[in-house]
């Protein structure tokens, strides 16, 4: 069992750190917020006074932070964590961040002789709580091999997506597809309403036809058909619309840098931007069906 430093004990990081402690690891955790620290302490995570204290001497350091800015601030520059961790410490970032930040930290870690893996997740808070996350990992084969057993204490599926930053690349391509798919599902089911077609009939047919997709099968934006869908609980997330917007914007940034044409994702980012700006950011992303309906 390893001594692990865990930084960022929020909605995702809190239960992830708890699962590492439950698996028998010695976990020292740090968050800027007192309430996150208190919750973590109740789950077997030892409170550290600073990020450096959590990371110093740890065999592995896991970060679960809001975005790329916090990752860069923590790791890079004078007083950054890269200087504080042991030479053989394994550094894993599971936050969803922009590709440039992930690759900047990879490069700085390599220059300092440290091992870094970008390992963003899919599965949300429920997946974090149930240790059922999917991890998409970017880094060397050797780094991935070291990270895999640790990540398996927090997830059900741990996949190597390739070299530095490719975990984030997989995450943003996947979520770009999810955002576009959800809007397609919304449009089809709103058109069905206007055509007098029962949504249950459309679901039964489409789920066995060429229009089927994961967003429809799991997150149908209409209530009463798919068990577990946020539509059944007045669109309480689930996967909040503001997080979908964050991921769509990250995919747009990456598309711009790579000169990839992503017109459907650009439209999806614009639509989710309007939906969030209208005060709906904390609703599940499937609630965008209301806007598609014109409400
Ligand atoms: P959150 O805001 O609940 O947690 C982030 C935590 O990081 C906060 O508690 C904050 O205080 C802490 N933090 C920020 N800077 C810090 C620093 N320098 N040192 C220590 N702590 C610091 O967010 P979350 O929902 O847990 O999401 C974390 C990451 O996971 C994000 O990148 C998000 O995009 C990604 N993600 C979230 C979900 C989800 O459903 N919530 C799903 C997949 C991926």
């Amino acid at each position: 069992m390893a001594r692990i430093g865990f930084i960022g004990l929020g909605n995702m990081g809190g239960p992830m750190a708890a699962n590492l402690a439950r698996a028998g690891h010695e976990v020292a955790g740090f968050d800027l917020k007192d309430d996150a620290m208190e919750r973590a302490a109740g789950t077997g995570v030892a409170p550290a006074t600073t990020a450096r204290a959590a990371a110093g001497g740890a065999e592995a350091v896991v970060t679960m932070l809001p975005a790329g800015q916090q990752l860069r601030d923590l790791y890079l520059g004078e007083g950054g964590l890269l200087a504080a961790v042991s030479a053989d410490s394994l550094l894993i970032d599971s936050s969803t961040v922009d590709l440039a930040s992930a690759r900047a930290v990879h490069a700085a870690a390599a220059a300092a002789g440290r091992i870094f893996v970008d390992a963003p997740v899919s599965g949300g808070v429920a997946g974090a709580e149930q240790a059922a996350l999917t991890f998409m990992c970017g880094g060397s084969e050797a780094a991935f091999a070291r990270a895999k057993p640790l990540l398996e204490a927090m997830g059900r599926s741990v996949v190597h997506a390739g070299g530095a930053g490719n975990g984030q690349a997989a995450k943003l391509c996947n979520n770009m597809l999810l955002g576009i798919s959800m809007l397609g599902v919304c449009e089809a089911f709103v058109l069905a309403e206007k055509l007098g077609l029962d949504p249950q009939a459309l679901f039964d047919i489409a789920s066995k036809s060429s229009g089927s997709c994961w967003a429809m099968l799991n997150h149908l934006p209409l209530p009463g058909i798919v068990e577990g869908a946020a539509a059944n609980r007045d669109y309480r997330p689930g996967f909040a619309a503001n997080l979908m917007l964050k991921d769509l914007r990250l995919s747009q940034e990456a598309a711009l840098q790579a000169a990839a044409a992503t017109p459907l994702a650009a439209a999806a980012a614009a639509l989710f931007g309007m939906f969030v700006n209208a005060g709906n950011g904390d609703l599940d992303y499937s609630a965008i069906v209301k806007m598609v309906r014109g409400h």
Side-chain angles (χ1 to χ4, degrees), residues 201-219:
L202 175 59
F203 180 82
D204 291 344
I205 293 163
S207 58
K208 291 178 183 58
S209 304
S210 48
S212 185
C213 70
W214 192 94
M216 184 189 79
L217 295 178
N218 296 279
H219 292 169

Side-chain angles (χ1 to χ4, degrees), residues 7 10-12 31-33 64-66 96 121 124 243 246:
I7 301 162
N11 293 325
M12 295 292 289
D31 195 289
L32 295 174
K33 292 184 185 157
M64 197 54 173
L65 301 166
T96 303
V121 301
L243 286 176
K246 171 191 172 183

Side-chain angles (χ1 to χ4, degrees), residues 15 19 22 125-133 151-157:
N19 284 329
R22 199 166 296 131
V125 176
E129 287 169 349
Q130 293 155 23
L133 295 168
L151 299 179
E152 280 169 347
M154 300 181 280
R156 222 174 258 159
S157 172

Side-chain angles (χ1 to χ4, degrees), residues 32-96:
L32 295 174
K33 292 184 185 157
D34 292 341
D35 58 337
M37 291 289 283
E38 278 160 27
R39 267 197 311 275
T43 65
V45 174
T49 47
T50 61
R52 285 174 84 93
E59 285 152 64
V61 178
V62 184
T63 41
M64 197 54 173
L65 301 166
Q69 185 64 52
Q70 289 82 8
L71 179 70
R72 285 176 191 251
D73 288 351
L74 188 70
Y75 267 111
L76 307 180
E78 255 177 67
L81 266 197
L82 274 181
V85 296
S86 324
D88 60 349
S89 182
L90 170 67
L91 312 175
I92 301 173
D93 178 49
S94 284
S95 331
T96 303

